[in-house]
């Protein structure tokens, strides 16, 4: 008897319980167990109905993704699903937690579905670069109608039980005891003689009407906009179309071949890698589960500028009472006005209602002076990027904050060890680097100064989770992981403009690799003066052997700060935000090139792609080698969540492995010879290239 699928009789109903923690994934043992126990129930004359449910916290959350890298073993999930609907006795799926992907497909093989009120159902396979491969593309449209089915299959977002009931996916919602309720439901089905609903029928397809074609067009358009460059939503739709036009067994046969192709595609491998990478990021090699995070019941934020306000909103949105401190009442008031504006925008977009706005605002208090922070558990400093200012703030906080409070800096590149040294409690000091806008961006770079205690770091990681963010840990160095690895890409982008490329060409090439915006348009958006100030603050550390970003400086000297100035790399007419080609940029680039002896020439798209990506990859390798990042996948998670690098590419380190480290090293050697010291190859890259190794595998 199978251990992972339990068998129990409740009167004349056989209850099959899937018990495969943590999420009851439908791995080989579960599939075998289901078939065994199903056959047992079929053969048992004392049984007249069957209930299938999940033990623990959820109904199966899908196929076991880890098995996708191994040869598939029989019985395939689709065989289990087909077997289910051929059973003559009524089978009821009882759903709690999350019935996702193969989990939901399993329920579609059942004749009835009941759910707990809090259950969620969905087909998130597209997010893994595949599509529902156990006939979900055929069965869900038959159960829920084409539009609703495509909503789940193409957009990949789960829905709640109430909506699932409305869509016809769920027959009944059961309050209270789900197991008892499902057994009672099954008994009633038997007593009433309710016909079993078989979701593979009608067998000869349901037809592709004009309405259907229009619905498919709508979802093709949505997929193109929301998942630009990603194949799986389109593969899913092709599969759904087959299901509409072919008899079920034929459509399923085509489906299987398409599924295998999709599963073996680089996009799917990258997306599966990203799935596990983001979960791995929360695990710190030397900080075990036994290190408990400190309790955070209240927080304070220093600074009500753009960054500070975003952090305040992020904390208040997640239920934390938060005090925001400024140097004058006027600054506090201005900050509060902007916070209210953000909430009003959320109402306009339908994300919250007025009651929710009031609840969140009630959690926020404005104050002048650090004394207001004497009783909070966490202080996040979001002041101007000036090391002396920040050191002074940390010194003052040291004398005001209560013992055990976490003192965090939101700096995006500064030496947090120096801030920790400005206090008498360096073990409590960490970095919490948010990304703009802090209330919306999902990445939180948690920075670990040398003396930070393990529980202070655990608190930072736990805060990320509690505020709906992906926390990734970095050690201290200039720019930590995220900004340090991105800077070389921006640097090369500006050098390429100096050498003859147009900003539009550079940006188009990088959008061609899937980035949502080109790096120069992003600089215009965030303000060229931000990195200019940083370069100025580091002027005394500049290595004269390294090429310098003269053109970027010149743009700032001319007041071309980007969108806010109406001009930067591009021109922005009449206060607009749409980048327009500006011939003046070329004139400036020619002048700077002449002054510094840069030869201008035609630059190929290939050169742009290689220089921008390889510069970032080389820096990523150095970050990994120096132990600033614990693993290559942590760098990738930063790029996916911090810079919108396409998830289907896996990130820069995964991309590097796909290209081949030998090839990248060869090209970097050439670029080193041509452009000098900034292209010094990372020792780790050199070693791995020689060993035919990789960063991520
Ligand atoms: C599919 O079904 C294909 C079929 O159509 C066709 C087949 C032929 N497999 O996220 P968490 C692990 S494709 C293996 O931290 P939460 C996860 O790695 C699948 N492992 O918990 C983690 O492990 P660890 C379609 C899985 O509460 C642990 O479980 N389904 C799987 O925040 C806890 O996960 C999906 O895409 C899996 N399917 O969220 C759903 N799922 O502890 C994917 C999770 O070692 N899963 N693990 O780090 C999820 O979205 C979330 O895990 C879930 C729980 C919402 C369920």
């Amino acid at each position: 008897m199978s251990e992972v699928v339990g068998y129990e009789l409740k009167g004349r109903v056989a209850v099959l319980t899937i018990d495969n923690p943590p999420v009851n994934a439908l791995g080989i043992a579960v599939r075998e167990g289901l078939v065994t126990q199903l056959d047992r129930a079929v053969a048992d004359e004392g049984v007249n109905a069957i209930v299938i449910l999940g033990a623990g916290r959820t109904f199966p959350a899908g196929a076991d993704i880890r098995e996708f890298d191994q040869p598939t073993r029989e019985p395939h999930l689709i065989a289990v699903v087909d077997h289910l609907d051929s059973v003559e006795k009524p089978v009821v799926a009882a759903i709690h937690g999350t019935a996702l992907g193969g989990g939901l497909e399993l329920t579609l093989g059942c004749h009835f579905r009941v759910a707990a009120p809090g259950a969620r159902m969905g087909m998130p396979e597209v997010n893994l670069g595949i599509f529902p491969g156990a006939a979900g593309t055929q069965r869900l449209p038959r159960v829920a109608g084409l539009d609703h089915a495509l909503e789940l299959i193409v957009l990949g977002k789960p829905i709640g039980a109430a909506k699932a009931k409305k869509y016809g996916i769920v027959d009944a919602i059961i309050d209270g005891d789900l197991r008892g309720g499902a057994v009672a439901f099954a008994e009633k089905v038997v007593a009433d003689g309710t016909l079993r609903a078989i979701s593979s029928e009608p067998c000869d397809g349901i037809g592709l009407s004009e309405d259907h074609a229009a619905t498919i067009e709508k979802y093709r358009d949505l997929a193109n906009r929301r998942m630009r460059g990603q194949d799986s939503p389109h593969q899913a739709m092709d599969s759904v179309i087959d299901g509409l036009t072919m008899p079920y067994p034929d459509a399923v046969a085509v489906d299987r071949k398409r599924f295998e192709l999709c599963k073996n595609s680089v996009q799917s491998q990258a997306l599966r890698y990203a799935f596990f990478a983001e979960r791995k990021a929360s695990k710190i090699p030397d900080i075990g589960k036994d290190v408990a995070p400190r309790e955070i019941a209240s927080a304070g934020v220093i600074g009500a500028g753009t960054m500070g306000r975003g952090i305040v909103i992020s904390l208040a949105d997640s239920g934390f009472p938060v005090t925001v401190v400024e140097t004058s009442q006027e600054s506090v008031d201005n900050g509060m006005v902007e916070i209210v504006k953000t909430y009003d925008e959320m109402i306009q977009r339908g994300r919250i209602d007025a009651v929710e706005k009031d609840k969140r605002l009630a959690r926020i208090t404005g104050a002048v002076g650090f004394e207001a922070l004497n009783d909070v558990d966490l202080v996040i400093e979001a002041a101007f990027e000036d090391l002396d200012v920040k050191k002074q703030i940390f010194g003052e906080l040291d004398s005001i904050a209560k013992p055990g409070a976490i003192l965090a800096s939101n700096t995006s590149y500064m030496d947090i060890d120096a801030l920790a040294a400005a206090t008498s409690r360096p073990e409590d000091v960490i970095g919490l680097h948010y990304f703009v806008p802090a209330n919306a961006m999902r990445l939180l770079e948690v920075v670990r100064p040398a003396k930070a205690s393990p529980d202070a770091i655990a608190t930072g990681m736990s805060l990320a989770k509690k505020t709906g963010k992906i926390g990734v840990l970095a050690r201290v160095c200039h720019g930590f992981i995220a900004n340090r690895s991105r800077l070389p890409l921006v640097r090369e982008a500006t050098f390429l403009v100096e050498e003859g490329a147009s900003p539009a060409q550079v940006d188009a090439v990088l959008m061609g690799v899937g980035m949502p915006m080109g790096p120069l348009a992003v600089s215009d958006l965030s303000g060229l003066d931000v990195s200019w100030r940083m370069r100025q603050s580091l002027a005394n550390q500049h290595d004269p052997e390294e090429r310098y970003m003269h053109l970027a400086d010149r743009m700032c000297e001319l007041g071309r700060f980007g969108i806010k100035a109406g001009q930067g790399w591009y021109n922005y007419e009449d206060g607009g935000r749409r980048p327009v080609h500006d011939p003046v940029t070329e004139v400036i680039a020619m002048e700077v090139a002449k002054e510094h002896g840069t030869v201008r020439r035609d630059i190929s798209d290939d050169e742009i792609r290689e220089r921008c990506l390889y510069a970032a990859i080389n820096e990523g390798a150095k970050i990994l080698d120096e132990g600033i990042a614990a693993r290559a996948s942590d760098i990738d998670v930063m790029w996916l969540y911090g810079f919108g690098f396409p998830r289907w590419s896996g990130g820069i380190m995964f991309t590097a492995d796909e290209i081949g480290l030998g090839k990248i090293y060869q090209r970097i050697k050439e670029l080193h010879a041509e452009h000098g010291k900034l292209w010094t190859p990372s020792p780790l890259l050199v070693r791995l290239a020689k060993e035919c190794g990789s960063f991520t595998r």
Side-chain angles (χ1 to χ4, degrees), residues 22-23 57 61 63-66 102 105 125 128 132-133 276 279 283:
V23 295
R57 60 179 168 133
D64 188 336
I65 307 167
R66 290 174 212 271
E105 289 174 299
E125 285 93 336
L128 298 168
F276 289 114
R279 281 158 181 83
K283 299 178 175 90

Side-chain angles (χ1 to χ4, degrees), residues 87-133:
V87 169
E88 300 277 339
K89 300 175 183 179
V91 184
V92 179
I95 306 168
H96 77 298
T98 42
L100 299 176
L104 186 55
E105 289 174 299
L106 188 77
T107 74
L108 294 173
C110 301
H111 309 117
F112 302 94
R113 288 161 290 279
V114 298
R120 295 185 68 73
M121 278 141 269
M123 299 238 167
E125 285 93 336
V126 285
N127 302 323
L128 298 168
I130 50 172
F131 57 84

Side-chain angles (χ1 to χ4, degrees), residues 349-362:
R349 289 201 208 109
R351 301 216 349 245
I352 56 168
D353 58 19
V355 177
E356 186 58 33
K357 169 187 155 183
D358 290 344
K359 269 194 203 162
R360 296 183 189 192
L361 277 173

